[in-house]
């Protein structure tokens, strides 16, 4: 089975090509038209350890790769705090799936450890001799996870742009101390939108004006619309399910509900993929913060991005256009590429669209949605710490709050798994404040204080940040990103 664009079934690609290209040529997202038709042996996958599960799931979703078990081994060996990669922890009556035990303490590590392996192997299999330069604009978590993932990977370089006024002190320190001979980090004067718009302009001008022709270099992106970032996330839904069976909480075949703190809709869409591959997923609960565009969409079928943008304590979920939703629309429309092209054109031109009743009813039988503000999130963090002795970050706090809303409305017997996407030490100010302590100090002191008060270990890569040498000091204006990229690309050695 070939990949195809969500907007045009004639634009096809193998899985290795889809990973290399990222986006389809018409701006659509690459999808396999029928996941059920893969006839995935989900029972056999559940019987394996997490690496075996990963090799099976990735092998099914990305069938053109020659040696998936080896790629999985290289991606994860020695990089995570635990061999389990994503441990499941019982908290109160529910479960927390910890996705933040990787090298940068955010869930993006699960995918961005794997993507460089998938890109390198695709480059080899496709016999591509061009060097790949990854460009990424980041609001914090993605940039660092991508830098760590691509650090010293052969044949690939990476440039990360972050807004100088838009990331936390910890996030900035994580990026500017990044080691490796193939990495670059540069601040953009402005906010995240300035950085993102600047990078998008580079992609389109390089493409339209053929600015890299004959230079032996091509640009690519580590953005979450790449299928190579989505596929690795399907694995932890299986892992959590297998753990619940092992613990005797459920029998094989019983449903499990998953609650997902959602931004770009990649994490929760991976749960939908798991379900299509046969895993007995019950309800997928989409949790949002004050940016509640997805809550409204799942409840009404109307997507409307024309609304105020709220800056919250869960910044990785501050988003108005959730790109990966397009893939879900494709599947629930029965693969109607013309319809998806038309909905996306409406979104671009008017800022909104409405799906038909059949699509909405398919979404509502599989998804439930809720949202909460910063105040409720902090109350939850305080309460979970006080009642259960479990410290969670702000994104997880949103998900936990929505999980309780969901349980109130639909009391069932299925276990509820809350996906936890970041270490509390990545957002120490909001977390310390939430457990009732004074957080009015610099972020690193607050981190120490959070540790003194809770005794929860600080991830070692965050604890050591203060003593690391700063390696990246460039700061530029958004208008000069293209010149900056072209100059960098023309240089062979970056360090
Ligand atoms: C990226 C991110 C999310 C949102 O995930 P999506 O796949 O974009 O929906 C949630 N929490 C954290 C900490 C993140 O970094």
């Amino acid at each position: 089975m070939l990949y195809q664009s969500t907007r045009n079934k004639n634009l096809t690609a193998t899985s290795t090509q889809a990973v290399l290209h990222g986006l389809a040529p018409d701006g659509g997202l690459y999808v396999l038209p029928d996941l059920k038709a893969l006839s995935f042996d989900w029972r056999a996958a559940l019987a394996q350890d997490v690496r075996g599960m990963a090799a099976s799931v990735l092998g099914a979703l990305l069938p053109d790769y020659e040696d998936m078990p080896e790629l999985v081994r290289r991606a994860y060996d020695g990089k995570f705090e635990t061999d389990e990669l994503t441990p499941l922890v019982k908290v109160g009556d529910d479960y927390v799936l910890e996705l933040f035990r990787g090298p940068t303490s955010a869930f993006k590590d699960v995918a961005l450890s794997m993507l460089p392996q998938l890109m390198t192997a695709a480059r080899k299999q496709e016999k591509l001799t061009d060097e790949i330069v990854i460009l990424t604009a980041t609001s914090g978590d993605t940039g660092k996870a991508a830098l760590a993932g691509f650090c010293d990977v052969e044949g690939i370089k990476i440039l990360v742009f972050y807004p100088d006024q838009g990331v936390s002190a910890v996030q900035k320190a994580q990026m500017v101390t990044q080691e490796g001979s193939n990495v670059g980090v540069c601040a953009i004067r402005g906010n995240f939108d300035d950085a993102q718009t600047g990078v998008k302009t580079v992609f389109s001008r390089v493409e339209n004006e053929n600015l890299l022709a004959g230079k032996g270099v091509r640009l690519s992106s580590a953005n979450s619309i790449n299928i190579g970032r989505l596929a690795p996330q399907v694995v932890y839904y299986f892992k959590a399910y297998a753990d619940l069976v092992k613990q005797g909480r459920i029998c094989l075949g019983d449903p499990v509900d998953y609650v997902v703190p959602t931004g770009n809709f990649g994490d929760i869409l991976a749960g939908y993929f798991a379900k299509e591959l046969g895993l007995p997923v019950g309800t997928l609960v989409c949790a949002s913060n004050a940016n509640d565009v997805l809550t409204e969409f799942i409840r009404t079928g109307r997507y409307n991005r024309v609304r105020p943008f709220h800056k919250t304590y869960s910044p990785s979920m501050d988003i108005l256009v959730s790109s990966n939703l397009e893939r879900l629309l494709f599947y629930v429309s029965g693969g109607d590429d013309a319809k998806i092209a038309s909905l996306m054109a409406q979104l671009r031109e008017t800022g909104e669209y409405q799906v038909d009743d059949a699509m909405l009813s398919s979404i509502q039988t599989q998804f439930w949605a809720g949202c909460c503000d910063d105040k409720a999130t902090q109350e939850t963090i305080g309460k979970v710490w006080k009642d259960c002795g479990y410290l969670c970050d702000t994104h997880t706090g949103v998900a936990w709050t929505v999980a309780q809303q969901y349980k109130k409305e639909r009391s069932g017997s299925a276990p509820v798994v809350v996906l936890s996407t970041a270490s509390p030490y990545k957002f120490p100010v909001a977390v310390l404040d939430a457990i009732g302590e004074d957080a009015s100090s610099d972020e690193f002191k607050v981190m120490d204080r959070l540790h003194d008060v809770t005794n929860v270990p600080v991830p070692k890569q965050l604890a050591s940040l203060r003593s690391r040498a700063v390696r990246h000091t460039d700061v530029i204006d958004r208008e000069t990103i293209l010149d900056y990229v072209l100059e960098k690309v023309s240089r062979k050695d970056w360090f």
Side-chain angles (χ1 to χ4, degrees):
M1 200 187 299
L2 283 172
Y3 275 82
Q4 64 168 73
S5 167
T6 43
R7 302 180 194 176
N8 180 350
K9 65 177 183 311
N10 298 318
L11 297 173
T12 58
T14 63
S15 52
T16 41
Q17 289 163 346
V19 166
L20 282 178
H21 297 163
L23 213 57
D26 62 345
L29 273 55
Y30 281 119
V31 281
L32 285 176
D34 188 355
L35 294 169
K36 288 201 174 85
L38 296 174
S39 307
F40 183 65
D41 190 350
W42 59 274
R43 287 185 185 81
L46 285 174
Q48 295 176 287
D49 69 5
V50 67
R51 275 149 227 261
M53 266 177 218
S56 305
V57 169
L58 288 165
L61 291 173
L62 305 169
D64 306 289
Y65 282 87
E66 279 155 13
D67 192 358
M68 198 57 91
E70 174 61 13
L71 299 182
V72 168
R73 194 188 63 69
R74 278 193 224 149
Y76 294 122
D77 262 16
K79 295 217 193 115
F80 279 59
E81 280 175 46
T82 145
D83 274 345
E84 285 191 276
L85 305 184
T86 53
L88 187 71
V89 182
K90 185 151 197 288
V91 178
D93 296 333
D94 302 319
Y95 296 83
V96 172
L97 177 55
E98 295 187 339
L99 305 178
F100 57 83
R101 298 295 181 185
T104 78
S105 306
F107 108 97
K108 306 252 182 333
D109 287 328
V110 176
L112 281 164
S113 299
M114 196 67 221
L115 182 65
Q117 300 304 328
L118 296 173
M119 273 202 179
T120 317
R123 191 168 162 268
K124 279 202 190 109
Q125 283 183 222
E126 297 289 324
K127 300 197 169 48
L128 194 73
T129 52
D130 283 355
E131 181 177 69
I132 296 175
V133 176
I134 308 268
L135 297 187
T136 298
T138 184
S139 56
D141 288 345
T142 302
K144 177 59 186 182
L147 287 164
F150 283 99
C151 171
D152 288 333
V153 169
E154 212 189 304
I156 302 183
K157 285 179 175 152
I158 174 163
L159 270 180
V160 169
F161 296 94
Y162 71 92
D164 68 344
Q165 297 309 326
V167 301
S168 73
V170 171
Q171 287 175 320
K172 177 173 173 180
Q174 279 190 300
M175 289 189 277
V176 296
T177 59
Q178 177 65 44
E179 302 191 348
S181 60
N182 64 334
V183 302
V185 177
C186 179
I188 302 295
R189 291 188 191 94
N191 58 25
F192 173 60
D193 232 23
D194 292 305
Q196 170 128 299
T197 309
V199 168
K200 280 191 182 154
T201 309
V202 174
F203 277 111
S204 63
R205 287 201 50 194
V206 163
E207 167 94 11
N208 294 337
E209 300 166 37
N210 239 334
L211 297 176
L212 291 176
K215 292 203 160 67
V217 174
R218 73 161 72 183
L219 299 182
S220 186
S221 145
N223 193 293
S224 75
I225 43 90
N226 193 312
I227 192 67
R229 263 193 71 178
L230 197 64
Q233 297 176 357
V234 177
V235 179
Y236 45 72
Y237 286 88
F238 281 82
K239 171 67 169 55
Y241 191 96
D243 284 347
L244 289 168
V245 174
K246 233 179 266 164
Q247 292 171 16
R249 174 66 178 80
I250 52 167
C251 297
L252 196 66
D254 292 345
V256 172
D257 297 334
Y258 294 86
V259 185
V260 190
T262 298
N264 215 10
F265 213 76
D267 198 0
I268 194 166
L269 186 71
Y272 176 82
F273 276 38
K275 187 174 188 180
E276 291 286 291
L277 291 180
L279 189 72
V281 173
T283 303
L284 290 162
V285 178
C286 175
S288 301
N289 60 27
N291 297 291
D292 58 354
V293 57
L294 285 166
T295 311
E296 182 181 281
F297 172 68
I298 290 172
R299 289 181 183 170
T300 67
R302 177 164 177 264
Y303 195 99
N304 181 6
R305 69 165 157 80
V306 188
R307 60 178 68 218
F309 176 84
H310 301 284
K311 246 179 116 82
T312 73
Y313 289 153
S314 42
S316 299
M317 299 157 70
D318 292 346
I319 201 159
L320 295 179
V321 179
S322 298
S323 317
N324 266 302
L325 187 62
E326 183 172 343
R327 286 190 166 106
L328 179 68
L329 299 179
F330 174 86
Y331 288 114
V332 298
S333 72
D336 188 341
D337 53 349
K339 186 181 274 174
I340 304 308
S342 144
L343 290 174
M344 292 302 119
Q346 285 173 47
L347 180 65
R348 203 168 48 241
E349 284 151 25
T350 68
E352 62 178 312
Y353 60 77
Q354 168 84 42
V355 298
D356 61 39
D357 289 349
M359 287 168 80
L360 182 59
S361 121
S362 170
I363 290 170
Q364 288 180 339
T365 55
Q366 307 183 75
F367 291 82
W368 192 90
C371 57
C372 68
D373 60 12
D374 279 342
K375 184 161 168 283
T377 306
Q378 283 194 305
E379 276 168 16
T380 296
I381 294 171
K383 188 166 164 24
V384 173
W385 172 246
K386 191 163 145 274
D387 296 351
C388 313
Y390 187 82
L391 190 67
C392 69
D393 98 294
T394 46
H395 303 76
T396 312
V398 170
W400 191 277
T401 308
V402 172
Q404 307 318 310
Q405 296 170 1
Y406 169 72
K407 291 204 314 189
K408 220 182 242 168
E409 189 169 311
R410 287 212 200 155
S411 54
S413 59
V416 171
V417 173
V418 174
L419 275 62
S420 178
T421 47
S423 158
Y425 286 101
K426 281 204 89 165
F427 304 93
V429 176
V431 172
L432 186 63
D433 186 43
I435 62 171
E437 300 285 330
D438 174 19
S440 59
S441 185
D442 87 68
E443 227 176 85
F444 286 104
K445 292 213 182 84
V446 169
M447 221 191 244
D448 289 339
R449 176 94 184 111
L450 187 57
H451 176 250
D452 291 345
V453 174
T454 63
N455 242 342
V456 173
V458 186
K460 65 178 187 309
Q461 63 276 10
L462 294 182
S464 66
L465 270 181
R466 263 165 292 188
S467 55
R468 293 245 178 96
V470 171
R471 297 180 82 226
H472 307 275
T473 52
D474 292 352
V475 185
I476 63 170
D477 288 323
R478 159 179 151 180
E479 290 70 32
T480 59
I481 300 185
L482 178 63
D483 296 333
Y484 183 87
V485 170
L486 292 176
E487 197 277 325
K488 273 282 209 194
V489 162
S490 70
R491 257 194 281 156
K492 191 166 179 327
D493 293 316
W494 287 7
F495 283 93

